[in-house]
Amino acid sequence: MPLPVIHITAVQEDAWQTLRAFTNARIALGSAGTAIPVKEVLQFRMAHANARDAVFSILEVDRLSADLQRLRLPFLVVHSQAADRTIYLQRPDLGRRLNPRSAERLLEHQHDYDVVIIVADGLSATAINNNALPVLINLVGDLQQNHYVIAPIVIAREARVALGDEIASLLRARLSIMLIGERPGLSAPASMGAYLTYDPVAGLNDERRNCISNIHAKGLQPNLAAQKIYYLCKEALRLKISGVQLKDEATGISGSDNFQLPKTT
């Protein structure tokens, strides 16, 4: 019996192939006959798998705690009312409220703070594991150098953005800054966002927040993100507003990278 004849179809590149050098978006994939090239199909499946893994990734609390101790920064660990990852994904409302034990712990640290920084897993703990520390190093340095009163940094598990409102309200902080893992995309499974809210209380709408998104190695670099966050923080506290009323009018952002981890002995 003769062997079947296999016809190999050459991949045809798209005319705008050169644009791929400027974006991670899935453009100019080319074609193989009437289909997408096998290479692109496999890369899509890999990207989809990475995004799913990011959703179920675990916040490295021990490593983050050790880093904060090296920075000599006080911190607290809290948990939302979502007991585990499955419940967190099924019940977004529970991720927006603290469990009772965490709320009691925060009440013990009440003070008149200018700023509280919250580090939350969100929908991609990988994003926090990769990007939170360099943002914290630069941001905390700028806040300290300008004499803002900073609350203990709060590490929040199974957290949604709105959980920052309750945390800040219980601590009596005028402004909350939440660093949180964003919903993974097929080209950015480890992207972190930063949300700023002035005068936060539970139940606020998103129009009261400023958001800086796409913070990761191939997006907005962490040190530049810290500069933008600091600018909006300073303006929010000066003008007593945030959200749609507060505009990013910064020009020539170039901040300090002077704040360094202390050397261990």
Side-chain angles (χ1 to χ4, degrees):
M1 178 180 294
L3 295 174
V5 177
I6 299 175
H7 297 282
I8 299 176
T9 304
V11 174
Q12 299 295 320
E13 292 187 352
D14 290 322
W16 53 89
Q17 176 75 18
T18 54
L19 296 179
R20 297 190 69 169
F22 302 100
T23 178
N24 291 325
R26 198 163 267 100
I27 64 170
L29 302 182
S31 61
T34 59
I36 297 173
V38 172
K39 176 183 177 182
E40 299 296 342
V41 173
L42 294 176
Q43 288 181 345
F44 175 86
R45 291 181 178 177
M46 177 61 75
H48 186 260
N50 288 337
R52 287 177 57 87
D53 287 347
V55 170
F56 290 96
S57 58
I58 304 299
L59 185 63
E60 297 175 356
V61 174
D62 290 343
R63 181 168 69 86
L64 183 57
S65 299
D67 289 333
L68 292 176
Q69 288 174 343
R70 288 179 63 200
L71 287 167
R72 301 188 180 94
L73 294 173
F75 65 91
L76 304 167
V77 180
V78 300
H79 204 292
S80 75
Q81 292 181 10
D84 55 43
R85 200 61 175 173
T86 299
I87 295 175
Y88 171 82
L89 295 173
Q90 294 174 345
R91 293 285 305 274
D93 57 313
L94 296 181
R96 300 185 183 111
R97 298 304 303 267
L98 287 166
N99 66 24
R101 184 177 179 182
S102 295
E104 291 174 3
R105 184 179 300 120
L106 292 177
L107 286 172
E108 296 171 359
H109 294 268
Q110 270 192 348
H111 187 67
D112 291 326
Y113 300 107
D114 293 316
V115 180
V116 59
I117 302 172
I118 302 142
V119 181
D121 47 11
L123 286 167
S124 175
T126 301
I128 296 299
N129 297 336
N130 293 352
N131 302 299
L133 185 61
V135 171
L136 284 172
I137 289 173
N138 287 278
L139 178 58
V140 170
D142 284 335
L143 291 170
Q144 288 181 336
Q145 289 171 13
N146 290 276
H147 308 294
Y148 288 104
V149 181
I150 310 172
I153 292 173
V154 178
I155 302 171
R157 289 169 157 167
E158 310 299 356
R160 302 278 176 171
V161 172
L163 189 71
D165 298 335
E166 184 178 8
I167 290 171
S169 179
L170 289 173
L171 288 173
R172 294 209 315 259
R174 293 199 293 150
L175 181 76
S176 70
I177 301 173
M178 175 173 270
L179 306 179
I180 189 167
E182 296 182 310
R183 180 176 284 105
L186 293 176
S187 61
S191 177
M192 185 176 76
Y195 290 82
L196 291 84
T197 310
Y198 181 79
D199 194 19
V201 292
L204 291 183
N205 295 325
D206 286 341
E207 66 177 0
R208 292 282 301 277
R209 314 185 201 286
N210 291 86
C211 175
I212 299 170
S213 64
N214 203 37
I215 304 170
H216 59 98
K218 295 183 179 179
L220 180 61
Q221 296 292 313
N223 64 312
L224 295 178
Q227 294 166 32
K228 280 187 168 290
I229 295 168
Y230 175 69
Y231 168 82
L232 288 173
C233 170
K234 181 176 62 175
E235 291 299 289
L237 291 171
R238 180 176 71 87
L239 299 172
K240 297 182 173 58
I241 56 174
S242 63
V244 296
Q245 294 180 307
L246 180 61
K247 307 302 181 184
D248 184 354
E249 298 177 348
T251 58
I253 290 284
S254 61
S256 63
D257 282 324
N258 300 328
F259 195 71
Q260 301 293 330
L261 286 167
K263 294 181 180 179
T264 55
T265 56

